């Protein structure tokens, strides 16, 4: 028997504002994680310390508006109460570390341990939410939340800098607690991407909101694992999909060029809904993407595929060649490196034997 085959390019989901907001929760990959399921590396004491600090932060959140109000934004950031009395002056907490040290696991654990209403999404998902709802409606929707978690916080252009600065400021004014992960210390956001000195005020406002926790360690996705697997030949894809997936599973099979065109036509805020219900991905003819705007959309798609832990079977170039060397060394290098890491992990899963039915 063979899996049920669909085409991702035929999926054009219509997503309401309520559905968009409801989707701001940890993905299936992190749907049941907790501080107890995080395994700190004994050789990296900062990991265990981060767990303790996040547990303390979670206890300080009592419900909507648990952050302090009154006295002005900057007085709260530099000297006001945080509502729980544990840490002092900061409205948010910020996890800084390299790829694959478990920052998203810890952020999702914080989300699970905190009272609601609460929101969890990537930086790009929040900017896409503003694009879908408008800035004012986004602020109105999130201002009643107890906690807003922002995964993969990264500033890549001046517009995003100003946008997220305003959003964080207004949420902080409403007493919303903030938590974020990134690969860049908040005072260094934007470095190497644009004229950061022209936006120091916005960057400083963002930096001042967070207590920084540094998490050291290696990328767990590559500890003791092989390099990116070699892609298959085009005529091997069908047999590989039949072997990897069961007849009760749904797999999308598309030409990679068609996927790239489809990503342009569908708003990134809908990518999560677009991959809903799939069990695997087959891409024929993966090529190096050399157009920046398209490459950034592919980064978003890689995040959504990784969220759902969708194995990938592909032909064409290996995923460590999916972006040009210039892109991998440019201002968006951290985004592209994350996407390569995640696509490589999914490609490994695609070449693993199917799990036997119990």
């Amino acid at each position: 028997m063979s899996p049920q085959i669909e085409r991702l390019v035929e999926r054009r989901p219509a997503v309401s504002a309520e559905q968009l907001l409801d989707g701001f929760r940890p993905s299936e990959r992190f749907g049941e994680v907790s501080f107890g399921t995080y395994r700190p590396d004994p050789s990296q004491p900062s990991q265990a310390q981060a767990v303790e600090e996040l547990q303390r932060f979670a206890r300080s959140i009592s419900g909507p508006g648990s952050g302090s109000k009154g006295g002005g934004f900057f007085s709260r950031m530099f000297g006001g109460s945080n509502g729980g009395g544990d840490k002092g002056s900061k409205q948010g907490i910020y996890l800084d570390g390299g790829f694959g040290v478990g920052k998203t696991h810890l952020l999702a654990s914080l989300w699970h341990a905190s009272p609601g209403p609460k929101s969890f999404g990537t930086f790009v998902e929040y900017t896409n939410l503003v694009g879908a709802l408008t800035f004012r409606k986004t602020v109105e929707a999130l201002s009643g939340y107890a906690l807003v978690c922002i995964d993969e916080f990264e500033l890549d252009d001046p517009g995003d800098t100003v946008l997220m600065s305003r959003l964080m400021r207004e949420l902080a004014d409403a007493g919303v607690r903030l938590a974020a992960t990134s690969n860049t210390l908040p005072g260094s956001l934007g470095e190497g991407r644009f004229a950061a000195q022209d936006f120091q005020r916005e960057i400083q406002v963002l930096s001042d909101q967070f207590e920084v926790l540094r998490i050291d360690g290696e990328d767990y996705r590559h500890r003791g694992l092989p390099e990116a697997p070699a892609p298959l030949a085009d005529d091997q894809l069908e047999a590989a999909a039949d072997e990897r997936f069961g007849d009760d599973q749904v797999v999308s099979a598309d030409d990679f060029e068609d996927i790239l065109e489809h990503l342009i036509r569908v708003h990134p805020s809908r990518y999560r809904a677009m991959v809903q219900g799939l069990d695997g991905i087959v891409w024929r003819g993966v090529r190096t993407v050399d157009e920046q705007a398209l490459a950034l959309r592919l980064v978003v798609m890689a995040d959504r595929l990784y969220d759902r832990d969708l194995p990938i079977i592909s032909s064409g170039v290996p995923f460590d060649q999916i972006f040009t060397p210039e892109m991998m060394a440019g201002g968006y290098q951290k985004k592209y490196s994350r996407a390569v890491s995640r696509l490589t992990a999914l490609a490994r899963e695609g070449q693993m034997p199917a799990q036997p039915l119990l």
Side-chain angles (χ1 to χ4, degrees):
M1 299 292 289
S2 300
Q4 178 182 338
I5 302 297
E6 295 188 2
R7 297 193 70 210
L8 195 62
V9 297
E10 294 177 351
R11 291 183 165 209
R12 296 174 179 269
V15 184
S16 67
E18 292 75 15
Q19 290 172 319
L20 278 177
L21 290 168
D22 187 60
F24 275 74
R25 59 182 64 245
S27 66
E28 291 88 341
R29 180 181 287 270
F30 300 102
E32 297 182 0
V33 300
S34 67
F35 294 124
T37 62
Y38 181 76
R39 296 290 179 262
D41 185 342
S43 67
Q44 302 290 347
S46 61
Q47 295 185 9
Q49 181 182 356
V51 173
E52 295 178 3
E53 294 292 344
L54 286 167
Q55 289 175 320
R56 184 180 296 115
F57 187 79
R59 290 194 296 269
S60 76
I61 303 172
S62 58
S66 62
S68 76
K69 298 181 181 180
F73 176 78
F74 287 99
S75 67
R76 288 200 308 280
M77 294 303 100
F78 290 106
S81 166
N82 70 356
D86 281 323
K87 279 302 277 186
S89 63
K90 301 296 186 178
Q91 188 81 350
I93 199 160
Y94 185 104
L95 307 182
D96 174 72
F99 299 106
V101 296
K103 300 187 304 296
T104 300
H105 185 135
L106 288 172
L107 188 67
S109 299
L110 172 65
W111 188 91
H112 288 300
S114 302
K118 52 195 174 181
S119 175
F120 183 104
T122 65
F123 175 84
V124 172
E125 285 183 297
Y126 283 105
T127 58
N128 288 338
L129 181 67
V130 172
L133 298 185
T134 73
F135 179 84
R136 183 48 49 196
K137 289 184 178 179
T138 300
V139 171
E140 291 173 357
L142 298 179
S143 289
Y145 282 35
L147 173 69
V148 168
C149 295
I150 309 161
D151 198 21
E152 304 293 353
F153 200 109
E154 191 60 73
L155 301 182
D156 296 308
D157 59 54
D160 283 350
T161 304
V162 176
L163 173 68
M164 292 306 292
S165 175
R166 287 183 58 202
L167 181 62
M168 295 299 98
R169 182 185 302 134
E170 297 209 24
L171 293 181
D173 282 341
V176 179
R177 305 301 298 279
L178 308 171
T181 75
S182 184
N183 307 302
T184 305
L185 287 170
S188 301
L189 288 169
E191 287 185 358
R193 291 162 180 77
F194 54 89
Q197 65 273 14
D198 295 337
F199 297 89
Q200 281 301 318
R201 179 179 180 277
E202 286 79 7
I203 293 172
Q204 190 62 47
V205 167
L206 290 169
S207 176
D208 290 339
Q209 296 179 59
F210 296 105
E211 187 77 31
V212 177
L213 295 181
R214 174 70 188 180
I215 305 177
D216 300 304
E218 300 176 358
D219 188 338
Y220 76 91
R221 288 183 289 267
H222 301 309
R223 293 174 198 160
L225 294 174
E227 296 299 318
L232 302 177
D234 288 349
D235 58 6
Q236 296 176 310
L237 293 177
E238 183 176 352
D242 288 346
E243 182 178 352
R244 178 61 177 81
F245 303 106
D247 58 359
D248 60 341
Q249 294 183 299
V250 180
V251 176
S252 73
D254 300 88
D255 288 336
F256 187 67
E257 201 65 40
D258 293 340
I259 290 291
L260 296 178
E261 293 179 7
H262 194 55
L263 294 182
I264 297 174
R265 294 192 293 265
V266 178
H267 193 277
S269 66
R270 300 181 180 183
Y271 290 179
R272 183 187 298 274
M274 190 163 64
V275 300
Q276 192 73 28
L278 293 177
D279 297 297
I281 300 291
V282 177
W283 283 344
R284 181 190 304 272
V286 173
R287 68 166 174 86
T288 300
V289 178
D290 55 8
E291 182 184 347
Q292 192 98 274
L294 182 55
L296 290 173
R297 285 182 175 249
L298 184 59
V299 168
V300 178
M301 174 56 73
D303 287 341
R304 301 292 78 77
L305 296 178
Y306 186 77
D307 286 346
R308 289 194 52 80
D309 196 15
L310 296 178
I312 299 176
I313 296 174
S314 65
S315 66
V317 304
F319 286 120
D320 56 8
Q321 298 177 26
I322 199 167
F323 303 115
T324 67
E326 292 77 15
M327 287 179 173
M328 295 299 296
Y332 296 99
Q333 60 181 285
K334 291 183 177 180
K335 286 181 181 290
Y336 296 140
S337 294
R338 183 180 78 242
V340 168
S341 175
R342 292 182 167 184
L343 290 171
T344 296
L346 296 177
R348 290 197 192 106
E349 293 184 26
Q351 294 196 12
M352 290 179 180
Q355 296 297 317
L357 296 176
L358 299 178

